[in-house]
Amino acid sequence: MEKTLFVVRGEETLPRWQAAFPEGEHGTVEQARSSIGSGDLVWVSERVDEWPTLVRQWSQRGAAVVVLSYRPSQAQGLEALEAGARGYVHALANVEVLRQAATVVTHQGLWVGPELLSRVVGSSFRAMGGAPRASREWLERLTERERAVALAVADGQSNKEVARRLAISDRTVKSHLSAIFRKLEVRDRMQLVLRLSQSETVDS
Amino acid sequence: MEKTLFVVRGEETLPRWQAAFPEGEHGTVEQARSSIGSGDLVWVSERVDEWPTLVRQWSQRGAAVVVLSYRPSQAQGLEALEAGARGYVHALANVEVLRQAATVVTHQGLWVGPELLSRVVGSSFRAMGGAPRASREWLERLTERERAVALAVADGQSNKEVARRLAISDRTVKSHLSAIFRKLEVRDRMQLVLRLSQSETVDS
DNA sequence: AAACCTATCGTACCGATGGCCTAGATGGCC
DNA sequence: GGCCATCTAGGCCATCGGTACGATAGGTTT
């Protein structure tokens, strides 16, 4: 019954997970599927396919489920909580944080990062020791024209719409965008939007 | 935890509170106001006037604040959490529950009680939106599967990545997306992500 | 003058995206 | 049994998005 196990994909298990829970078992979904019951502490990697479904099943069985994410986001965190997870932790969190989260969730508490917490309950959690996020300094790295393009794109506009707004060709918009992606190290406009909307809420 | 104290109105203190924390101090707002600092565990009765303001102050100072309510409700619970409280417990909870809550909140967890947890989590979307009704409404218009796709896409993932996560074909992802766009009346994933991030980040 | 940055526009290429259509399987409801 | 919603998946096709590899022109720095 009261056992700790990590559900991962392949050989994903990290040393720090074992360090935090030497007694914990590690395995894939197939190995874990049937053995999980009430009172168990289950860590599920976001790399596991269909983790929301699994979280739903296991939490309904009474297990305390924590989702390990490599790229935490509000949307994913809410997805985890909605599925019944009691915790949402960065997969690379240190041993102390993992143990702390374990303590909390096994005591019927909710463990989420300060950032997500602020989304869940409002903005006032920012002042509670949550590390202040990076500012929009990275926008300074862009030229004036690139910044205009970035903001327009982050507004949800297509390349053609941006071109019309700035009175330039859509080819030029693409050129600027390539430069933007390279400088900000994002892969596409979607990541740009996410990054911009994140830093915007922190500043305001 | 530095010290434990109960902030009450008059002589409200219950025996079970003292049983759970024999070392805890009990007093009114005037007595407690200045002595609360980082690391303290503070229990605040809902009978204390202007408790949300006090919760906000003390939680910003780094104290772990738990609100004791005689008439727990979803609205009040959210108000407490929004003010920065880490816990929301029934004032008549038994000793075990009180100690459990203390364990959780002093470990940076969130304690809202098993019976209220589902409601708090379920309402988190509403709690985050500037236009609560609207955001909840359009999310509810989606099926469960569509919601999962929408959240994943709003996280910046490509169709293929979503397909991998949900263990379905990318054709199916596109099918779901078409339904999502039609239902939510957005033209593409960019508008979807904007709408989601807006309702997620607007402070109210 | 040479080097460099910036803004502009072009072609070509290719994967990603989204609309429109069909359709099997499932399960709930009348 | 019929009806309907949902999830799944495929084909077809037009468009969009992003990169590679340019080119030209104006400005600044060295």
Side-chain angles (χ1 to χ4, degrees):
Chain A
M1 304 109 296
E2 266 95 52
K3 59 178 183 289
T4 299
L5 64 164
F6 289 80
V7 179
V8 299
R9 198 183 66 176
E11 299 294 327
E12 187 188 350
T13 295
L14 297 181
R16 60 183 60 192
W17 298 353
Q18 294 179 315
F21 302 96
E23 318 252 305
E25 306 170 18
H26 300 255
T28 61
V29 177
E30 289 71 27
Q31 297 165 330
R33 198 180 287 278
S34 57
S35 66
I36 292 176
S38 178
D40 290 341
L41 173 59
V42 184
W43 305 79
V44 183
S45 166
E46 65 159 347
R47 292 184 176 167
V48 174
D49 292 330
E50 294 209 80
W51 60 262
T53 306
L54 300 171
V55 168
R56 207 163 305 245
Q57 290 175 0
W58 294 334
S59 59
Q60 279 180 357
R61 284 196 220 163
V65 183
V66 181
V67 174
L68 295 160
S69 171
Y70 289 86
R71 297 168 306 154
S73 69
Q74 299 104 40
Q76 191 185 41
L78 286 171
E79 194 178 359
L81 292 178
E82 211 184 30
R86 303 202 74 95
Y88 181 68
V89 193
H90 199 294
L92 303 179
N94 61 40
V95 173
E96 287 72 29
V97 169
L98 291 175
R99 288 197 177 131
Q100 213 164 51
T103 301
V104 169
V105 299
T106 55
H107 286 79
Q108 304 305 306
L110 261 191
W111 207 102
V112 290
E115 323 80 35
L116 178 59
L117 206 49
S118 69
R119 306 296 177 203
V120 173
V121 301
S123 62
S124 50
F125 257 93
R126 225 183 315 157
M128 294 194 48
R133 207 91 64 79
S135 68
R136 296 170 71 174
E137 201 175 307
W138 51 272
L139 264 182
E140 315 280 330
R141 305 163 58 100
L142 303 181
T143 68
E144 190 175 344
R145 210 59 173 151
E146 287 165 352
R147 206 152 40 231
V149 172
L151 290 175
V153 166
D155 222 19
Q157 306 201 17
S158 70
N159 288 345
K160 282 187 178 178
E161 288 170 329
V162 176
R164 264 197 300 276
R165 174 192 283 197
L166 301 183
I168 54 180
S169 161
D170 58 340
R171 319 293 183 185
T172 309
V173 174
K174 286 172 138 190
S175 291
H176 287 316
L177 267 181
S178 289
I180 292 167
F181 296 154
R182 184 167 28 83
K183 286 184 179 178
L184 302 188
E185 294 175 351
V186 293
R187 70 160 183 242
D188 53 29
R189 64 208 295 115
M190 200 63 68
Q191 305 299 321
L192 176 63
V193 162
L194 290 175
R195 198 158 159 187
L196 192 52
S197 64
Q198 271 183 6
S199 60
E200 267 178 342
T201 62
V202 170
D203 286 351
S204 58
Chain B
M1 172 198 349
E2 305 299 326
K3 59 178 181 287
T4 298
L5 66 165
F6 289 80
V7 179
V8 299
R9 196 182 65 175
E11 299 296 327
E12 186 190 352
T13 295
L14 298 181
R16 60 182 61 192
W17 298 353
Q18 294 180 315
F21 301 95
E23 317 252 308
E25 307 168 18
H26 300 256
T28 61
V29 177
E30 289 69 28
Q31 296 166 331
R33 199 183 285 280
S34 58
S35 66
I36 292 175
S38 177
D40 291 341
L41 173 59
V42 184
W43 305 80
V44 183
S45 166
E46 65 159 347
R47 291 183 179 170
V48 174
D49 292 330
E50 310 225 24
W51 60 263
T53 306
L54 300 171
V55 168
R56 198 162 271 118
Q57 289 176 2
W58 294 333
S59 59
Q60 280 181 357
R61 283 198 219 163
V65 184
V66 181
V67 174
L68 295 160
S69 173
Y70 291 87
R71 304 161 295 148
S73 70
Q74 180 181 334
Q76 192 186 39
L78 284 173
E79 191 180 2
L81 294 176
E82 227 167 21
R86 302 205 74 96
Y88 181 69
V89 193
H90 200 293
L92 303 179
N94 61 39
V95 173
E96 285 72 28
V97 169
L98 291 175
R99 289 200 177 130
Q100 212 165 49
T103 302
V104 168
V105 299
T106 55
H107 286 80
Q108 304 305 307
L110 201 59
W111 207 101
V112 290
E115 69 282 352
L116 292 179
L117 178 58
S118 60
R119 280 192 279 174
V120 172
V121 172
S123 66
S124 55
F125 283 102
R126 231 174 318 163
M128 296 181 321
R133 282 183 195 148
S135 75
R136 193 171 75 119
E137 270 175 21
W138 61 259
L139 265 182
E140 281 180 353
R141 293 167 60 178
L142 302 182
T143 68
E144 186 179 358
R145 211 61 173 146
E146 288 166 351
R147 206 155 37 234
V149 171
L151 287 172
V153 166
D155 207 22
Q157 305 201 17
S158 69
N159 289 343
K160 282 187 178 176
E161 288 170 327
V162 176
R164 265 197 300 276
R165 156 166 315 178
L166 300 183
I168 54 180
S169 160
D170 58 340
R171 300 311 189 114
T172 308
V173 173
K174 292 169 81 174
S175 291
H176 287 314
L177 266 181
S178 290
I180 293 167
F181 295 154
R182 183 167 30 81
K183 287 183 179 178
L184 304 187
E185 294 175 351
V186 292
R187 68 160 182 240
D188 53 28
R189 64 209 294 117
M190 198 63 62
Q191 304 300 322
L192 176 63
V193 83
L194 285 177
R195 210 159 150 182
L196 248 186
S197 66
Q198 269 180 11
S199 63
E200 273 179 339
T201 55
V202 171
D203 300 338
S204 51

